Amino acid sequence: MTEAVESRHFIQQLIDSDIESGQWGAPGDRSVVTTRFPPEPNGYLHLGHTKAIILNCGLAREYGGKFYLRFDDTNPAKEEQEFVDSIKSDIEWLGAEWDGDVKFASDYFEHMYAWAIELIEKGLAYVDDQSVEEIRAGRGNLKDGGKASPFRDRSVEENKDLFARMKAGEFENGSKVLRAKIDMNSPNMNLRDPLIYRIVNVTHHRTGDTWHIYPMYDWAHGLEDSIEGVTHSLCTLEFEDHRPLYDWFIDAINQGRSDEEQIHHPQQTEFSRLALSYTNMSKRYMRQLVDENHVHGWDDPRMITVAGFRRRGYTPESFWMLASDVGITKFNAIVDFSRLENMVREDLNKRAPRAMAVLDPIKLVITNWGDGGDEDRLESMEVPNHPQDESFGSRTVQFGKELWIERGDFMIDPPKKFFRLGIGREVRLRSGYWVKCHDFKADADGNVTEVHCTYDPSTRGGNNPPADEEGKVRKVKGTIHWLNVNDAIDVEVRMFDRLYMAERPGKKSGDHLDDLNPDSLTVISNAKFESGLVDRGPQEPAWGDGIRRFQFERTGYFCEDGDSSAQKLVFNRTASLRDSWAKQGR
RNA sequence: GGGGAAAUGGUGUAAUUGGUAGCACGAGGGUUUCUGAUACCCUUAGUUCGGGUUCAAGUCCCGGUUUCCCUACCA
C-alpha cells in the first residue's frame, strides 16, 4: 500500500532547502519566508493574477511566514486610486489576507533616490541626454551589440548635479534619464545600460507633485523587495531575462559596503502564468471589450476579471482549487476552461442549497386533481434543501392543479430514451406526485402551451406507489422539477456562455473580436422561481461574500445579481449542471 | 554562431533525485439515485526525436526538433 505523499512543486522544494541551509535566517526557521503580491494599480485583477496571489499567500501560510500586498505605483501616468481600491477588495474577496499595512512603492521613493546617488558615486550610473530614438538605436538589436552613449563618461560631479536637477523638476519629460553603466554588448538586452529613472511630470495619485522623476521597474522592484525583507520574489516567466539585472542592482548597491551595511538580497524565481482556453488575459483586449461595449463593464459576468467571476457566482474557494489543480511549473500550459467550471461545480454541489426554478415555463394541468378533493385545493409538500446533506433542512412548497414545468421536459414525439413527458408517459414531479400525460395544447404556430396529465394520489411526496398483488412496484425513469403557478414568481435569469468561440481568441485572424461569441448572453425575463425563497430564510447558508447562491434543480448553479431587487429578482447562472443527456444529442 | 527558458496519456501534473511511469480532469462503459446531478466501479491512453553511458535512463551525456520570452523613458 503506497501512501499518498503530497508532492512539492519546485518553488516549495527551493524554499525547503533554503530553510534547511539557513539561507534567510536560523536553519530550520520556517517563519522567515516572506512573499508579496506586487500589482501595479493600473487595472482590474483578472484570473491570471489569482494564481500569483494564491501562490504567494499560500506559501506564506504554509511556512508560517509573511505575505505582503504592495502596490508597484512607479508610473503615475497609468495609475489611479480607483484601481488600488478594487484590487484590495478583490484580494480580500479571494481570502488572501495580507500581513500588516498595504505597502506602496511610492513610500520608498526617497530611499531609492539615495541609492541611485550611490550608484552615481560609484561610477555605475550616468545621466543620458539622448532622445528616446537615440537610446533605442544605441541599444542595438538581438543580433548586434549596441554602442555607448556620448554621455556615458560624464564625471560623477556632473551626473550628481544633473540628477539632482532632474529630481527638482528642471527638465522636460524625455529630456534626460539616469542609466546604469553595465554592458552595451551584453547578449541580454536588459543589461545594455538599462534606464533607472525617467522624468515624468505627472501628478501621482499618492505623492502628488513632489516627484518629477520616477524609478523604472527593474530598479524599483528588487529594492522594494529588499526593503520589505522579501525572501522569495516570485514572478512570471517573462522576467527570467530580468533576473540578472535584479541581482546586478542589489549587488551594485552592496558593492563596497561592509557586511553589516549590506542590503537584503531576495531570490527572484519565475513560474509560468495561467492561461485558460477560450479566454485572453490581455489587459488591452479586456479594456477594448469594455470600452466598445462588447460587455457591460469590468464586472460583467462573462469577463475573466475577479470582479466578473465574483458577480458570476464563482466562489473564492474555486480559485484556490484551480490553483492547486494546475500547480506551479515553468511550462507554458493552457488549462481547459472547463476545469475551472468543474471546480465551482464541485464546491457549489456541496454548499449550495437547492431550489426549484423553471427557466422556460409551460403549464402542466392535472385534469383529475378534483378526484382527490377540492379542485382548488393546495397541498403542502416538504422538500429537502440538499439531497445528500440533511443539515440543510427542508422547506414547504405548494402543489396544486396547475403547475409550471420546463418546456424541454415535454415532447410531442419523444424518442425512446427520453425519460420525461410525452403522450402516455409518466414522470415523477420531484417531491410532488407522479403524473401521466394524456394530452397537450398548442398554439397556431405549433408551440406547446399546456400539457395535460393525471396524477396518482398514492405517490404523494414523490414516493413510489404501493406494490401490486404480484409484489411489483411501478417504476418511472424521469423526475422533473416544477412550481405551482400560485407559488411561483417571475424572475430574471441571465445565462452566460463563453465570450469567445475560439480556444485561443485572436490567434487565427489577429483580432480577438473576430472570435467573439454572439450568443454569450441570454436574458430570460419570465423565469419562475419559488416565492418562498424570495427572502433569505433562516436555514439558508450565509456565504462569506454575502452573495446568495442556489442550485436550481436540474438546471445549474445560480447566484443573485447585484441588480436584483425585491420587485424583480435577478439571477446569474454560474455554471450549468453536467448533462449527459444533452451530450447524447450532439 | 544573438541570449534565456521549457518539452511526460487528449488536458494539467507527479515520479523517493539513476530503480515498478502515479494522480486528477476528460472520454467510453457500468452501478446507485426522487436532479439524465452527485457518489461509486471499470476501461482508455504517455516519457519530443536520434545517439551514448549504465545491470538499469523520464531522470545523466552529446546532437537535433518544437514552443515560449527578450530590441518600452510600461510593469
Side-chain angles (χ1 to χ4, degrees), chain A residues 180-244:
Chain A
K181 195 185 285 186
I182 305 181
D183 178 4
M184 289 308 291
N185 287 307
S186 172
N188 183 344
M189 300 298 287
N190 296 122
L191 264 23
R192 320 247 260 231
D193 287 13
L195 273 57
I196 303 178
Y197 277 93
R198 81 288 211 184
I199 296 169
V200 185
N201 288 302
V202 170
T203 304
H204 187 281
H205 67 97
R206 292 189 76 241
T207 60
D209 296 316
T210 60
W211 290 88
H212 297 91
I213 55 171
Y214 286 88
M216 299 289 291
Y217 166 84
D218 288 295
W219 172 249
H221 207 86
L223 304 185
E224 294 158 16
D225 287 341
S226 178
I227 289 167
E228 292 169 4
V230 168
T231 53
H232 299 272
S233 178
L234 311 177
C235 59
T236 44
L237 250 26
E238 68 269 26
F239 291 102
E240 280 172 328
D241 288 341
H242 293 246
R243 177 154 32 95

Side-chain angles (χ1 to χ4, degrees), chain A residues 80-281:
Chain A
E80 291 171 35
Q81 182 61 38
E82 176 197 349
F83 296 127
V84 344
D85 296 336
S86 77
I87 289 171
K88 276 159 66 177
S89 83
D90 284 349
I91 296 174
E92 279 168 355
W93 177 79
L94 261 183
E97 234 172 85
W98 56 85
D99 286 289
D101 294 334
V102 175
K103 302 181 185 327
F104 293 87
S106 49
D107 288 339
Y108 314 139
F109 281 172
E110 203 67 55
H111 216 143
M112 294 176 190
Y113 176 71
W115 276 327
I117 292 173
E118 269 191 54
L119 252 57
I120 293 175
E121 288 169 340
K122 289 173 184 170
L124 295 175
Y126 61 97
V127 173
D128 194 341
D129 297 355
Q130 293 185 107
S131 67
V132 189
E133 295 74 25
E134 289 167 329
I135 289 176
R136 183 183 302 137
R139 190 154 32 221
N141 58 47
L142 296 178
K143 287 244 164 134
D144 308 312
K147 58 173 189 295
S149 163
F151 303 96
R152 199 171 197 256
D153 293 316
R154 281 218 246 238
S155 72
V156 169
E157 284 318 309
E158 189 183 1
N159 279 322
K160 283 179 73 171
D161 174 58
L162 255 17
F163 188 46
R165 290 164 59 193
M166 282 169 63
K167 183 193 183 220
E170 285 188 30
F171 305 117
E172 295 291 301
N173 287 352
S175 59
K176 284 182 170 45
V177 293
L178 185 71
R179 288 233 254 173
K181 195 185 285 186
I182 305 181
D183 178 4
M184 289 308 291
N185 287 307
S186 172
N188 183 344
M189 300 298 287
N190 296 122
L191 264 23
R192 320 247 260 231
D193 287 13
L195 273 57
I196 303 178
Y197 277 93
R198 81 288 211 184
I199 296 169
V200 185
N201 288 302
V202 170
T203 304
H204 187 281
H205 67 97
R206 292 189 76 241
T207 60
D209 296 316
T210 60
W211 290 88
H212 297 91
I213 55 171
Y214 286 88
M216 299 289 291
Y217 166 84
D218 288 295
W219 172 249
H221 207 86
L223 304 185
E224 294 158 16
D225 287 341
S226 178
I227 289 167
E228 292 169 4
V230 168
T231 53
H232 299 272
S233 178
L234 311 177
C235 59
T236 44
L237 250 26
E238 68 269 26
F239 291 102
E240 280 172 328
D241 288 341
H242 293 246
R243 177 154 32 95
L245 184 53
Y246 184 104
D247 292 332
W248 189 93
F249 278 135
I250 293 173
D251 289 340
I253 291 168
N254 281 333
Q255 181 185 311
R257 289 185 175 216
S258 65
D259 283 356
E260 311 82 72
E261 291 170 336
Q262 299 274 311
I263 68 167
H264 172 68
H265 192 150
Q267 164 74 54
Q268 174 179 311
T269 304
E270 309 85 14
F271 62 95
S272 66
R273 15 166 110 246
L274 177 60
L276 266 207
S277 61
Y278 299 98
T279 68
N280 191 296
M281 308 273 180

Side-chain angles (χ1 to χ4, degrees), chain A residues 176-442:
Chain A
K176 284 182 170 45
V177 293
L178 185 71
R179 288 233 254 173
K181 195 185 285 186
I182 305 181
D183 178 4
M184 289 308 291
N185 287 307
S186 172
N188 183 344
M189 300 298 287
N190 296 122
L191 264 23
R192 320 247 260 231
D193 287 13
L195 273 57
I196 303 178
Y197 277 93
R198 81 288 211 184
I199 296 169
V200 185
N201 288 302
V202 170
T203 304
H204 187 281
H205 67 97
R206 292 189 76 241
T207 60
D209 296 316
T210 60
W211 290 88
H212 297 91
I213 55 171
Y214 286 88
M216 299 289 291
Y217 166 84
D218 288 295
W219 172 249
H221 207 86
L223 304 185
E224 294 158 16
D225 287 341
S226 178
I227 289 167
E228 292 169 4
V230 168
T231 53
H232 299 272
S233 178
L234 311 177
C235 59
T236 44
L237 250 26
E238 68 269 26
F239 291 102
E240 280 172 328
D241 288 341
H242 293 246
R243 177 154 32 95
L245 184 53
Y246 184 104
D247 292 332
W248 189 93
F249 278 135
I250 293 173
D251 289 340
I253 291 168
N254 281 333
Q255 181 185 311
R257 289 185 175 216
S258 65
D259 283 356
E260 311 82 72
E261 291 170 336
Q262 299 274 311
I263 68 167
H264 172 68
H265 192 150
Q267 164 74 54
Q268 174 179 311
T269 304
E270 309 85 14
F271 62 95
S272 66
R273 15 166 110 246
L274 177 60
L276 266 207
S277 61
Y278 299 98
T279 68
N280 191 296
M281 308 273 180
S282 154
K283 219 169 252 181
R284 214 185 83 237
Y285 283 11
M286 288 194 250
R287 180 172 297 284
Q288 192 181 7
L289 293 174
V290 173
D291 289 349
E292 297 179 6
N293 295 313
H294 298 108
V295 296
H296 306 319
W298 288 95
D299 67 343
D300 186 299
R302 292 166 292 179
M303 292 287 276
I304 55 167
T305 51
V306 172
F309 277 118
R310 175 171 55 211
R311 190 164 178 189
R312 174 89 173 247
Y314 275 71
T315 57
E317 288 78 5
S318 56
F319 293 95
W320 289 75
M321 289 160 76
L322 182 75
S324 89
D325 185 59
V326 302
I328 299 295
T329 67
K330 280 181 179 292
F331 178 63
N332 271 311
I334 298 172
V335 177
D336 284 341
F337 189 85
S338 60
R339 293 182 90 95
L340 181 57
E341 282 187 306
N342 287 335
M343 298 300 158
V344 237
R345 285 197 187 106
E346 193 181 328
D347 189 29
L348 257 19
N349 177 50
K350 293 195 206 84
R351 300 201 290 152
R354 310 292 128 124
M356 291 207 273
V358 180
L359 304 181
D360 187 6
I362 53 171
K363 199 171 274 185
L364 182 149
V365 180
I366 299 175
T367 52
N368 66 339
W369 187 240
D371 297 357
D374 177 8
E375 275 261 314
D376 298 325
R377 78 185 187 284
L378 294 178
E379 292 187 16
S380 293
M381 299 291 172
E382 191 185 351
V383 183
N385 291 327
H386 195 292
Q388 277 89 32
D389 189 342
E390 287 185 14
S391 72
F392 281 76
S394 64
R395 65 192 188 283
T396 302
V397 301
Q398 303 300 316
F399 191 99
K401 183 181 175 69
E402 295 197 338
L403 310 172
W404 295 116
I405 63 166
E406 211 70 66
R407 181 176 299 279
D409 285 341
F410 172 82
M411 281 181 88
I412 296 172
D413 189 19
K416 325 119 262 310
K417 297 278 277 285
F418 187 75
F419 301 151
R420 308 174 193 176
L421 286 172
I423 302 290
R425 302 210 183 181
E426 185 172 37
V427 298
R428 174 184 356 250
L429 294 174
R430 190 153 166 85
S431 304
Y433 282 101
W434 291 23
V435 292
K436 188 168 190 173
C437 176
H438 60 81
D439 198 8
F440 70 93
K441 277 192 187 169

